[in-house]
Amino acid sequence: MSSPMAVSDQVTRYAALLDDAAREAREVAQFDTDNRLSLDDAYAIQSASIARRLARGERRVGVKMGFTSRAKMLQMGLSDVIWGRLTSDMQIEEGGSSLFSRYVHPRVEPEIAFVLKRELAGDVTGPEALAAVEAVAPALEIIDSRYRDFKFTLPEVIADNASSSGFVLGAWRDPKLDFGNLGLTLSLDGRVVQVGSTAALLGHPLRSLVAAARLSAAAGEPLQPGWIVMAGGATPAEWIRPGQYVSVDMEQLGSAGFHVKV
Ligand code: 0L1
Ligand code: MG
């Protein structure tokens, strides 16, 4: 992007494009295949796109972390994780349902989620991050890129809220239990399709929370009490289809699931 005026024009235009596409479950063409957008531009578009949702009455409820597995970071040539913003309309009730038609080409991944009891901001240690956690829960994230064929550049996916489109939370548990390496499965209609561990998240999910505290504060939006932090996919994502029941089962933490409504 060239001049300050052009930056703000393009931020507004791409934010509207992505927000409309998400609202209408419609795919759009990539707009940065020539790599003109910086990561700062991309986060500005994401922020402006989420601001449109908040202006329609949605509430901000937390943060999602993306590309949190070292393998995926290396594959994408990244030196840091990415993040997105969670809003109230993205939450699906545990055991409830979500309309397939709400998405373009949805996939799902098993995660662990945190809810915070106090503000967490800046460069914090793992123990400091843990002290701010009220509870942990097994979770599912629906990722649904608004770009055609789920293809995007790094700035494009950041602008598109890191593909975040929905989330389900299981029952909250005491964070004192050791959640650093819990086995988990992702199932579709009761059939296990992915097996993994919470250790896939940067070696320990708390590292993802530490990164969330750093990145959110740098963006001027420190993690707030009551906010949810989705720590990242613990296995590769799976495509979902209408009529399926999607569930995660996690050692010690239990399960969470939802129906994909036709
Ligand atoms: O949550 C994630 O780790 C995925 C981030 C966005 C990339 C994708 O849509 O696959
Ligand atoms: Mg995820």
Side-chain angles (χ1 to χ4, degrees):
M1 293 196 200
S2 42
S3 71
M5 178 56 99
V7 169
S8 112
D9 283 353
Q10 294 213 57
V11 165
T12 305
R13 187 153 56 85
Y14 290 143
L17 177 81
L18 290 167
D19 179 50
D20 289 345
R23 225 154 25 99
E24 296 162 15
R26 185 170 44 73
E27 61 185 17
V28 295
Q30 289 181 249
F31 49 74
D32 192 45
T33 46
D34 51 355
N35 285 311
R36 285 170 303 112
L37 293 180
S38 67
L39 295 192
D40 284 348
D41 297 333
Y43 279 112
I45 295 167
Q46 181 194 119
S47 172
S49 164
I50 297 298
R52 290 169 58 103
R53 296 190 200 180
L54 302 183
R56 290 195 294 270
E58 292 189 45
R59 280 176 301 106
R60 178 73 186 281
V61 296
V63 160
K64 73 78 51 95
M65 302 304 289
F67 295 145
T68 45
S69 92
R70 294 257 183 239
K72 189 82 180 182
M73 277 173 70
L74 286 176
Q75 187 191 337
M76 297 289 296
L78 300 180
S79 55
D80 204 355
V81 295
I82 66 171
W83 65 285
R85 293 161 167 97
L86 301 177
T87 63
S88 47
D89 278 15
M90 293 166 69
Q91 184 161 5
I92 303 160
E93 196 187 337
E94 203 290 304
S97 61
S98 186
L99 273 176
F100 185 82
S101 59
R102 191 175 163 172
Y103 309 102
V104 184
H105 33 212
R107 302 161 90 174
V108 69
E109 54 192 21
E111 306 214 0
I112 186 167
F114 301 102
V115 64
L116 301 183
K117 61 183 171 193
R118 66 174 78 129
E119 184 175 296
L120 188 63
D123 289 323
V124 297
T125 63
E128 284 166 348
L130 182 59
V133 174
E134 173 80 38
V136 293
L140 292 164
E141 185 187 24
I142 300 177
I143 52 173
D144 183 31
S145 175
R146 266 54 70 159
Y147 301 106
R148 190 163 301 142
D149 300 329
F150 229 109
K151 291 210 176 89
F152 41 70
T153 63
L154 180 62
E156 284 171 338
V157 69
I158 290 170
D160 189 24
N161 203 24
S163 300
S164 200
S165 300
F167 63 95
V168 183
L169 302 170
W172 292 111
R173 310 271 182 210
D174 192 328
K176 286 199 186 73
L177 70 84
D178 181 1
F179 53 82
N181 185 11
L182 299 177
L184 59 94
T185 57
L186 173 68
S187 299
L188 298 176
D189 290 330
R191 187 174 63 87
V192 173
V193 290
Q194 290 288 344
V195 178
S197 159
T198 56
L201 308 176
L202 302 174
H204 194 299
L206 264 186
R207 294 206 176 100
S208 181
L209 182 58
V210 165
R214 171 175 53 84
L215 292 166
S216 299
E221 298 174 9
L223 299 178
Q224 295 298 303
W227 274 17
I228 294 151
V229 176
M230 297 284 290
T235 73
E238 288 282 335
W239 300 103
I240 51 177
R241 291 197 302 276
Q244 282 179 326
Y245 182 70
V246 184
S247 55
V248 55
D249 287 282
M250 202 175 282
E251 227 182 323
Q252 296 191 59
L253 287 192
S255 61
F258 73 104
H259 299 271
V260 188
K261 208 163 156 192
V262 182

